[in-house]
């Protein structure tokens, strides 16, 4: 039993080490490539958007939709609140009034936009979660929370809010059902 745990720990540390090497390699890559200050960081949403725009003649929204087609959202990621399964609005959040709603097939990853700053959106989501019986815990990252609840179909969820211009983008993750 101890050997099995030790092997798991060594593998986990190996994966963590590999991640750290990749992250540490970005500045080296930038320095070797000339360090263009106008280029987005290698591991950012802006870098993905820049790459999508550079590889197509489309406008920004179409290029980003194409880039997302291969992601966790897959084809047909755009949704309406009425498409949400009943358990989502009962146990997680009401999606009334949200814009740019996207979700994968099993609604385990959901993203949307709301008007206003991230503090307001965060307060609204926290209130809805608490009304549905969730216990929220700050994750340590600004605007991100983990929530747990006893009973029901969804035992935990993760969400984050980030301001983008005059709107706030919200991403939720729940266990796949």
């Amino acid at each position: 039993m101890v050997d099995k745990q030790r092997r798991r720990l060594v593998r986990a540390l190996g994966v963590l080490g590999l991640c750290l090497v990749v992250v540490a390699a970005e500045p080296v890559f930038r320095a070797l490539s000339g360090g263009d200050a106008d280029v987005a960081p290698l591991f950012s949403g802006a870098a993905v958007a820049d790459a999508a725009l550079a590889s197509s003649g489309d406008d920004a929204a179409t290029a980003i939709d194409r880039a997302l087609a291969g992601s966790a959202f897959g084809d047909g990621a755009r949704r309406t609140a009425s498409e949400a399964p009943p358990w989502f609005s009962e146990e997680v959040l009401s999606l009334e009034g949200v814009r740019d709603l996207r979700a994968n097939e099993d609604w385990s990853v959901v993203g949307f936009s709301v008007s206003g700053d991230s503090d307001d959106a965060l307060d609204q989501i926290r209130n809805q979660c608490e009304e549905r019986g969730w216990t929220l815990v700050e994750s340590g990252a600004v605007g991100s929370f983990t929530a747990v609840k006893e009973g029901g179909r969804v035992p935990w969820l993760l969400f984050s809010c980030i301001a983008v211009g005059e709107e706030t983008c919200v991403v939720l993750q729940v266990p796949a059902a």
Side-chain angles (χ1 to χ4, degrees), residues 5-92:
Q5 289 177 338
R6 190 171 295 173
R7 282 194 305 267
R8 285 182 179 168
L9 176 62
V10 169
R11 276 188 253 156
L13 289 173
V15 169
L16 181 61
L18 180 61
C19 291
L20 290 173
V21 167
V22 170
V23 169
E26 181 190 6
V28 174
F29 172 76
R30 283 183 164 289
L32 293 174
S33 65
D36 187 357
D38 293 335
V39 177
L42 186 61
F43 302 107
S44 70
V48 172
D50 290 346
L53 283 170
S55 67
S56 72
D58 297 329
D59 65 349
T62 304
I64 291 170
D65 282 345
R66 286 182 197 269
L68 287 175
S71 74
F73 287 118
D75 293 329
R78 291 183 187 258
R79 306 279 189 204
T80 62
S82 64
E83 292 178 82
W87 61 264
F88 194 90
S89 59
E90 291 168 6
E91 290 192 38
V92 183

Side-chain angles (χ1 to χ4, degrees), residues 51-143:
L53 283 170
S55 67
S56 72
D58 297 329
D59 65 349
T62 304
I64 291 170
D65 282 345
R66 286 182 197 269
L68 287 175
S71 74
F73 287 118
D75 293 329
R78 291 183 187 258
R79 306 279 189 204
T80 62
S82 64
E83 292 178 82
W87 61 264
F88 194 90
S89 59
E90 291 168 6
E91 290 192 38
V92 183
L93 290 176
S94 168
L95 296 172
E96 290 182 36
V98 304
R99 289 184 305 284
D100 303 321
L101 178 62
R102 295 176 184 267
N104 61 356
E105 280 187 34
D106 62 4
W107 288 77
S108 63
V109 180
V110 178
F112 55 87
S113 300
V114 293
S115 294
D117 66 15
S118 59
D119 289 337
D120 291 341
L122 189 58
D123 287 343
Q124 290 175 7
I125 292 171
R126 288 167 81 180
N127 290 338
Q128 281 194 49
C129 286
E130 289 170 352
E131 287 172 3
R132 288 170 173 78
W134 292 97
T135 301
L136 282 82
V137 179
E138 290 188 46
S139 70
V142 175

